[in-house]
Amino acid sequence: MEPSTSAPAVTSSKQFLRKHMLKLAPYTPIEPFEVLSTRYGRKPEDIIKLDANENPYGPPPEVRQALGTMSFPHIYPDPETRALRQALAKMHNIPVEHLLVGCGADELIDLLMRCVLEPGDKIVDSPPTFTMYCFDADVNDARVVTVPRLEGFKIDVEGIKKAVAEHQPKVVFLTSPNNPDGSMIAEADLLAILALPVLVVLDEAYIEFSSEASRLDWVARYNNLVVLRTFSKSAALAGLRVGYGSFPLEMIEYMWRAKQPYNVSVAAEVAACAALTNMEYLNTVRDALVQERERLFALLKEVPFLEPYPSHANFILAKVTGGRDAKAVKDALASQHGIMVRHYAKKELSGYIRVSVGKPEHTDKLMAALKQL
């Protein structure tokens, strides 16, 4: 049968997309070793990756062993991730009913927005901070009310209060330690925001590297608080994508209904459970990274064109000064030395670079490279 020569019924597949998606800006992810190796003509092992806050020490040895001996990789995973949730409940001394596990905390941020936000609803964002909040808001056709941080990246509590009163947002996103500067939110500031008629999402992706305790157990006391955590950083499982959160009981019932049934793979749950069996290793690695963070901070302060900020996370933000261009510094480190650091296109961070804390030898090579620029 000859194909029809009449005009096609559909001229563009874009007509099927939701209108707001046509204006969606793409997220800019960090690229893996394989791509970087090809781009810069270096072996993967010769690239020093300090651009994504990954843990250079890798997970405990129990993780690789457990992944190599998985009993049922051919069977769908437990939709309730019961083994991992029970282990987390015991570790944090909180009721298991509050816990939900996701394919990274990123999935939980998106799931939360899909459950909470109607098209046109608003969130409060306090840049510079983790850009996934704005990205997921855009995907879900929500509006972003921006309350910029004060000098020193301190959260603007009064500004948030005014934004809540004026715009009536549904959600305020907070990050502690904050990414990209590593600052903590003061308890008094958190309590002041919790007193507002909004849902407060506290992202604690880097809390292990600070000296402060998690607020996971606060969720039982505050019906408007969600706390998110991840295995990507301290447990070095970024590639396996495991995050979790503590949610109010009245909310989590509906989160369970909306999440993908098999959102956490067998491998991810097995790896996370195995990681939790060796807390001594996790604590040793954390201590090593904290110690190296302090050494890196002191060394960066000696670089004439950098002004680093104190950090409670596993990275350091540094302002590029002396007439230097931050992106040029980032590009030179990558092309000339195979050292990857983060630079942002966002206007409030255009003059900054962020350096993840690596091993001591990574710091040494970075400092040698900076001296040559």
Side-chain angles (χ1 to χ4, degrees):
M1 184 176 178
E2 292 294 324
S4 172
T5 57
S6 60
V10 176
T11 57
S12 173
S13 58
K14 287 201 299 185
Q15 73 185 63
F16 301 111
L17 292 169
R18 298 176 68 187
K19 295 296 182 283
H20 77 277
M21 295 297 294
L22 301 178
K23 301 177 182 179
L24 182 68
Y27 187 80
T28 306
I30 295 298
E31 294 173 325
F33 277 120
E34 297 85 352
V35 174
L36 297 172
S37 176
T38 300
R39 177 177 299 163
Y40 295 107
R42 296 174 181 267
K43 296 178 181 178
E45 57 268 26
D46 293 334
I47 292 174
I48 299 175
K49 204 167 180 303
L50 305 177
D51 58 352
N53 305 336
E54 294 140 331
N55 188 327
Y57 290 96
E62 287 83 357
V63 169
R64 294 184 184 275
Q65 182 180 359
L67 289 173
T69 57
M70 285 188 295
S71 300
F72 304 109
H74 57 295
I75 301 299
Y76 284 113
D78 176 8
E80 297 182 22
T81 51
R82 276 164 274 217
L84 180 54
R85 288 171 56 240
Q86 290 287 353
L88 289 169
K90 182 178 180 181
M91 182 176 75
H92 295 298
N93 193 28
I94 59 177
V96 70
E97 292 79 14
H98 283 283
L99 294 171
L100 184 64
V101 181
C103 180
D106 289 354
E107 186 203 9
L108 298 179
I109 294 169
D110 179 63
L111 176 63
L112 182 72
M113 290 199 192
R114 287 193 286 116
C115 290
V116 169
L117 300 176
E118 304 281 358
D121 279 347
K122 298 171 183 176
I123 71 163
V124 171
D125 184 56
S126 295
T129 192
F130 189 36
T131 54
M132 282 299 292
Y133 311 138
C134 285
F135 175 78
D136 281 329
D138 289 342
V139 170
N140 286 281
D141 199 18
R143 307 294 177 261
V144 178
V145 178
T146 299
V147 181
R149 289 172 177 263
L150 303 173
E151 187 175 353
F153 302 102
K154 189 177 187 300
I155 204 83
D156 184 358
V157 177
E158 293 305 313
I160 291 175
K161 288 180 179 179
K162 291 177 182 177
V164 170
E166 180 179 351
H167 299 283
Q168 277 119 38
K170 275 192 175 178
V171 191
V172 172
F173 282 91
L174 304 172
T175 316
S176 188
N178 185 48
N179 177 11
D181 66 282
S183 62
M184 303 292 295
I185 185 169
E187 184 166 309
D189 291 344
L190 177 58
L191 289 171
I193 297 170
L194 280 169
L196 301 174
V198 290
L199 178 65
V200 178
V201 179
L202 179 63
D203 189 339
E204 293 187 333
Y206 301 94
I207 192 69
E208 291 91 345
F209 302 105
S210 78
S211 59
E212 294 193 13
S214 169
R215 272 94 176 206
L216 275 172
D217 59 347
W218 282 31
V219 175
R221 288 180 279 150
Y222 294 94
N223 285 326
N224 64 327
L225 175 64
V226 169
V227 179
L228 301 176
R229 297 283 296 273
T230 183
F231 280 82
S232 294
K233 314 306 178 184
S234 66
L237 296 183
L240 283 160
R241 312 306 301 128
V242 194
Y244 61 101
S246 183
F247 297 83
L249 293 181
E250 291 179 338
M251 172 180 285
I252 201 170
E253 173 187 350
Y254 299 94
M255 302 279 290
W256 278 110
R257 297 184 190 185
K259 83 167 185 69
Q260 293 294 318
Y262 305 116
N263 62 321
V264 179
S265 72
V266 172
E269 184 174 16
V270 163
C273 287
L276 293 180
T277 66
N278 194 343
M279 292 303 299
E280 181 180 0
Y281 175 94
L282 296 183
N283 292 335
T284 298
V285 166
R286 177 204 61 204
D287 292 345
L289 288 170
V290 169
Q291 181 177 347
E292 189 60 22
R293 178 188 71 202
E294 299 310 306
R295 186 173 85 98
L296 175 61
F297 177 75
L299 290 171
L300 290 175
K301 286 176 67 176
E302 297 175 3
V303 178
F305 56 88
L306 293 180
E307 292 181 7
Y309 287 80
S311 172
H312 296 270
N314 67 332
F315 53 80
I316 293 174
L317 184 73
K319 185 176 182 179
V320 179
T321 63
R324 298 283 190 115
D325 179 77
K327 187 176 185 302
V329 171
K330 178 254 187 188
D331 290 342
L333 287 172
S335 61
Q336 299 174 27
H337 303 278
I339 300 173
M340 309 298 139
V341 299
R342 187 72 188 266
H343 170 266
Y344 300 85
K346 300 286 184 180
K347 60 180 181 179
E348 65 267 16
L349 286 173
S350 62
Y352 295 78
I353 59 171
R354 190 196 66 194
V355 183
S356 304
V357 180
K359 295 179 179 180
E361 56 266 33
H362 298 154
T363 299
D364 294 342
K365 290 180 179 179
L366 170 67
M367 299 312 302
L370 286 170
K371 289 179 181 178
Q372 295 181 37
L373 296 186

